[in-house]
Structures are given as structure tokens and as C-alpha cells.
């Protein structure tokens, strides 16, 4: 079964909405002050440029999946080597995103629950999601996309508490600071690179640019709104000391029938994490199936069992954040390299027939 443009957009957007949006406002405040929202727009333009490159490199191919597409362009040796690199990246992304979310759960909601117990619970959900077919993944993403929008709309409850003076542009923010903020935003936008896998399941393979454009600006627009809400709600001094300001904003929301809304939000955020980590693990499985067509089941079982162990390795939150940044830099680099590499191979390499 093929994916519609709408389903593929939901897949990309939901993969991007992992753990990054929870901490993005404070990171942008440190780098670009109240002009951090401009950094988000610059990052959106950067991703849009890559979307155009992906359009020309992936458009109208006749292959069944990305890995055979790459093999026809570059040969078997290079395609297998590059597939191995992608597998390692997908696997590390899946594990470190899970680990960071575990620390959110430990700090905000379940401080007495052992780390490994939470990892196993999420791991079970993630493996079930990753073992599904792509159209099942897309249906889950479409369903939870509306839940995500509802959660984000709750932040508008703070409208009456906004202090617009906090949004006044500072006098000492340089263009370099905005670029540093753009880099931080790019780490949160990672996920769009999975178009190299999802595009081969599109009903209309010519709609790669349409999918990436819509998903990019939907995500960018939502990020801008969330960051502006956080900027208008917290002073710059306070925001710089909040690890997850988005959750802190939820904590300030009070209903008569609900106390400590952030506890519910942390738990409801689980499907978003499962979708993000599960999609990367799904990519790992697809890559292994290509590399080892005769022994893929045994290797996939081994990788799946290794996931909770790898996710457990970072022993403290600062270490997990540092590893996540390194993985994010690798992801950005691979997204750029892959887009231009495919374009060059398509122009000067083998056939795509």
C-alpha cells in the first residue's frame, strides 16, 4: 500500500517532534535572546533548500526502496557501506532520543522508578511500532498529529499572562548569535532526512518537494509559536535556567478538575517519542534487510535486543544531552551529504531504472 502526500507529511512532522521542542526555547534564548524565533525561520529556509535538492535527487525513480536505488547509482560496495553508516546513525538516534525522554520521565513524573524499567516499557512500544508496515506507521502518525496540535493549543491558555516586553529585540544580538540559534534549531528539525526512505512508498513519487515543503513549514511554524509563547511567558534570566521550558509552561496551567497538568503531558508525550524512535528503528530494519537478505531476521533480533542496552548507557542527563548533540550534528551532516550525493550520482552515476 502506497502513502498519500498527507500521510507522508504526518510521518515527517511527527518524527521531527521528538524531545527537542521541550528544551528549544531555553537553548534559543541563550544563543539569540528574544530574536531566537528568527533563527527558527533561517533553519526552515535551510531545510527548504535541502528539500529542493532532495526533489531533484529522488524525483520520479523506479526503484522499490532507497537502498537498491543507491546501489543502481553507485554500485553494490558503496551502497552497502553507506547503508551501514545510515544504520548506525538511525540506531544511535533511536537510542539517545529514548534515553533523553527517560530522563524527562524520571525528573518530572517518576523519580523513584528505575531507569531500566522505563526503558523496557518504551522499548516494547517502539519495537511494535517499528515492526509495522509503512502505511500502519502513517495512520498512527495521522491520528496522533491531531493530539499533538491539541496539546500545543493548550499553551495559548497563557495568553492573558504574556509579557510582551520580554519580546523586545535586544541591542547586542549579532548575526553570529542568530546562526548559532539556527544550529540549535536544526538539531530539533532532524527527522526530515527520513524522506530518503518514505519517498519510495509515495503514490506520486514526484511529490517529494511537496511533502518536504509542507512538513518543513508546518514544523517551523509550530516551533515559532511555541518559542514565542515561552519567550512571552518567562523572562530571559529565568528561561536560561529552565531545562524544559515547554513543560514548565504546562506546569503553570491550572484547571479546577486537573492538578499538575505537566504530569499528564509528560505521559501523553510518549506516543510522539515512540513514533520518533520507532521510525528510526524501522529504518534500521530496512537497512539490515538490504545488507543481509539471508540472515536479516537473526541480525534484526540482535539489534532490537541491543536497543535498551544502548539506551541505558548514558548514566546522567548532561552526558545524554551531549551525546544527543553529537548525534544531531551527524544527522545534519548526513542529511546534507546524502541530498547532494544522490544528486551527483544521479547526474554522473549509474542508471535509476
Amino acid at each position: 500500500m502506497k502513502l498519500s502526500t498527507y500521510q507522508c507529511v504526518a510521518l515527517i512532522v511527527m518524527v521531527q517532534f521528538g524531545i527537542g521542542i521541550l528544551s528549544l526555547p531555553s537553548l534559543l534564548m541563550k544563543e539569540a535572546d528574544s530574536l531566537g524565533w528568527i533563527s527558527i525561520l533561517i533553519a526552515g529556509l535551510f531545510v527548504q533548500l535541502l528539500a529542493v535538492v532532495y526533489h531533484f535527487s529522488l524525483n520520479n525513480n523506479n526503484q522499490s526502496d532507497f537502498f537498491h536505488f543507491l546501489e543502481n547509482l553507485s554500485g553494490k560496495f558503496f551502497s552497502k557501506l553507506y547503508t551501514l553508516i545510515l544504520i548506525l546513525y538511525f540506531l544511535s538516534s533511536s537510542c539517545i532520543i529514548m534515553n533523553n525522554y527517560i530522563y524527562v520521565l524520571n525528573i518530572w513524573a517518576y523519580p523513584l522508578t528505575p531507569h531500566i524499567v522505563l526503558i523496557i516499557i518504551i522499548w516494547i512500544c517502539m519495537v511494535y511500532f517499528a515492526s509495522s508496515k509503512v502505511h500502519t506507521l502513517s495512520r498512527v502518525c495521522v491520528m496522533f498529529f491531531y493530539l499533538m496540535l491539541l496539546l500545543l493549543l493548550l499553551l495559548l491558555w497563557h495568553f492573558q499572562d504574556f509579557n510582551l516586553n520580554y519580546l523586545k529585540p535586544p541591542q547586542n544580538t549579532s548575526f553570529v548569535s542568530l546562526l548559532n540559534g539556527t544550529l540549535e534549531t536544526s538539531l530539533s528539525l532532524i527527522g526530515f532526512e527520513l524522506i530518503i526512505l518514505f519517498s519510495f512508498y509515495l503514490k506520486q513519487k514526484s511529490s517529494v518537494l511537496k511533502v518536504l515543503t509542507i512538513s518543513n513549514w508546518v514544523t517551523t511554524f509550530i516551533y515559532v509559536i511555541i518559542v514565542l509563547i515561552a519567550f512571552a511567558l518567562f523572562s530571559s534570566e529565568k528561561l536560561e535556567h529552565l531545562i524544559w521550558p515547554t513543560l514548565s509552561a504546562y506546569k503553570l496551567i491550572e484547571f479546577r478538575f486537573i492538578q499538575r497538568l505537566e504530569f499528564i503531558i509528560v505521559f501523553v508525550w510518549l506516543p510522539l517519542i515512540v513514533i520518533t524512535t520507532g521510525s528510526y528503528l524501522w529504518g534500521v530494519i530496512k537497512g539490515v534487510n538490504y545488507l543481509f537478505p539471508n540472515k536479516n531476521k537473526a541480525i534484526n533480533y540482535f539489534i532490537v535486543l541491543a536497543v535498551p542496552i544502548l539506551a541505558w548507557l548514558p548514566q546522567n542527563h548532561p552526558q545524554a544531552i551531549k551525546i544527543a548533540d553529537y548525534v544531531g550534528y551527524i544527522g545534519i551532516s548526513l542529511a546534507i551529504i546524502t541530498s547532494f550525493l544522490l544528486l551527483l550520482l544521479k547526474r554522473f552515476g549509474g542508471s535509476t531504472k
Side-chain angles (χ1 to χ4, degrees), residues 32-47:
D33 210 282
S34 59
L35 292 179
W37 60 273
I38 297 179
S39 297
I40 300 177
L41 296 178
I42 297 174
L45 290 173
F46 168 72
V47 174

Side-chain angles (χ1 to χ4, degrees), residues 156-168:
L156 295 177
W157 185 267
H158 291 299
F159 182 77
Q160 59 186 354
D161 302 318
F162 289 166
N163 187 338
L164 298 184
N165 290 324
Y166 292 159
L167 298 178
K168 290 183 178 179

Side-chain angles (χ1 to χ4, degrees), residues 165-235:
N165 290 324
Y166 292 159
L167 298 178
K168 290 183 178 179
Q171 298 179 352
N172 57 350
T173 300
S174 65
F175 184 67
V176 174
S177 298
L178 292 178
L179 291 181
N180 289 334
T182 298
L183 181 59
E184 293 292 348
T185 305
S186 299
L187 297 180
S188 296
L189 287 175
I190 283 295
F192 68 90
E193 73 280 6
L194 288 180
I195 191 64
I196 62 175
L197 304 182
F198 296 146
S199 64
F200 292 85
Y201 297 91
L202 281 168
K203 292 178 182 177
Q204 297 179 335
K205 293 188 177 181
S206 60
S207 60
V208 170
L209 181 59
K210 184 177 181 180
V211 168
L212 283 180
T213 299
I214 296 174
S215 60
N216 175 42
W217 291 111
V218 166
T219 305
T220 299
F221 175 75
I222 293 175
Y223 277 16
V224 168
I225 295 299
I226 293 175
V227 166
L228 285 176
I229 289 174
F231 284 2
L233 194 59
F234 303 108
S235 66

Side-chain angles (χ1 to χ4, degrees), residues 10 18 31 85 93-94 97 126 202 241 267 269 274 281 285 313:
E31 296 293 346
I85 295 173
S93 295
S94 184
I97 291 171
M126 182 182 72
L202 281 168
H241 293 89
F267 180 75
W269 212 266
V274 169
L281 186 58
I285 293 172
L313 287 179

Side-chain angles (χ1 to χ4, degrees), residues 38 121 230 294:
I38 297 179
I121 293 173
N294 299 322

Side-chain angles (χ1 to χ4, degrees), residues 225-279:
I225 295 299
I226 293 175
V227 166
L228 285 176
I229 289 174
F231 284 2
L233 194 59
F234 303 108
S235 66
S236 59
E237 294 79 10
K238 185 173 183 179
L239 195 56
E240 288 183 7
H241 293 89
L242 293 175
I243 301 176
W244 299 295
T246 306
L247 286 178
S248 297
Y250 282 115
K251 183 178 180 179
L252 297 177
I253 299 176
E254 293 184 358
F255 298 109
R256 292 183 178 179
F257 53 90
I258 296 178
Q259 295 291 328
R260 303 302 300 269
L261 179 64
E262 76 276 11
F263 286 171
I264 299 175
I265 296 298
V266 166
F267 180 75
V268 175
W269 212 266
L270 174 62
L272 302 182
I273 300 302
V274 169
I275 288 171
T276 303
T277 57
S279 296

Side-chain angles (χ1 to χ4, degrees), residues 34-66:
S34 59
L35 292 179
W37 60 273
I38 297 179
S39 297
I40 300 177
L41 296 178
I42 297 174
L45 290 173
F46 168 72
V47 174
Q48 186 61 45
L49 172 63
L50 290 183
V52 174
V53 180
Y54 275 119
H55 165 73
F56 287 110
S57 60
L58 295 172
N59 197 28
N60 291 325
N61 64 80
N62 296 316
Q63 298 299 318
S64 59
D65 59 54
F66 167 76

